[in-house]
Amino acid sequence: MGKDVIVACDFPSAEKTLAFLDKFEGRKPFVKIGMELFYGAGPDIVRQIRSRGHRIFLDLKLHDIPNTVKKAMSVLRDLDVDLVNVHAAGTVRMMEAALEGLTRPDGTRPLLIAVTQLTSTDQEALEQDLWIEKPMDEVVMHYARNARKAGLDGVVCSPLEAAKVHEACGADFLTVTPGVRFADGDVGDQKRVMTPAEANRIGSDYIVVGRPVTAAEDPVAAYERCCREFIGE
Ligand code: C5P
């Protein structure tokens, strides 16, 4: 899998999502399905989007005891998605169990990445709520190294952390980065943002883009601009 733009389809229903994807006609963007759409529309939305030829990142961020995550992953593996994720906070053992559950009898499996720390968690919440008395960037790197140790393929991280993650975990360790905005676009509620071109320069492997594409007047043009800026096509 090379560099690509992943479109976050944060819609409440299958109808809205499929109507949005219909606009792309011949193009088949890599699609992210999150909790809202998955829980609202059910696993069938994954099959429907897959049958249209899109690659899929199923962003469900699993976090539970290792045995439960392993069993849940063995259900998800049959949905034939390309990328799924867990919380690194679930421990190395949980991530190893996730990987086991995800691996099919023939040895193939979707890629598995870990969320290090959510971008909505700031230093204060890290210390006061989670009781982790360390600088955020050290925590993120530690969790990324744990993901690597467990055999995962990469992490979700802010674009600002992508270069450091590659340094700590290797160039082949995937960095999937949300928080992407056009230079002339609305930032919305994202705090630390980068343009697609900047994300490319700092070495993100995949960018996750939601509203700059889904809320654009011409979503296809916005998606194409993203691809041009990020991968030059
Ligand atoms: O609309 P926007 O481009 O901000 O969407 C970004 C997408 O990436 C959303 O689906 C959001 O849930 C997801 N995400 C994020 N920050 C993280 C992890 C996921 O924005 N740390």
Side-chain angles (χ1 to χ4, degrees), residues 37-104:
L37 183 57
F38 189 79
Y39 294 145
D44 205 45
I45 186 62
V46 177
R47 297 185 193 101
Q48 279 180 281
I49 295 177
R50 190 86 186 98
S51 70
R52 290 169 167 229
H54 295 268
R55 290 192 290 159
I56 296 175
F57 169 20
L58 191 54
D59 178 22
L60 299 181
K61 302 186 179 74
L62 276 69
H63 185 174
D64 208 316
I65 59 171
N67 184 55
T68 300
V69 169
K70 180 177 171 177
K71 289 190 169 159
M73 282 297 182
S74 66
V75 174
L76 296 183
R77 78 180 183 204
D78 294 332
L79 286 176
D80 194 25
V81 296
D82 299 276
L83 193 58
V84 290
N85 60 0
V86 291
H87 271 284
T91 72
V92 171
R93 215 177 122 230
M94 187 208 76
M95 290 189 273
E96 287 169 347
L99 209 52
E100 277 171 38
L102 204 56
T103 306
R104 304 183 184 102

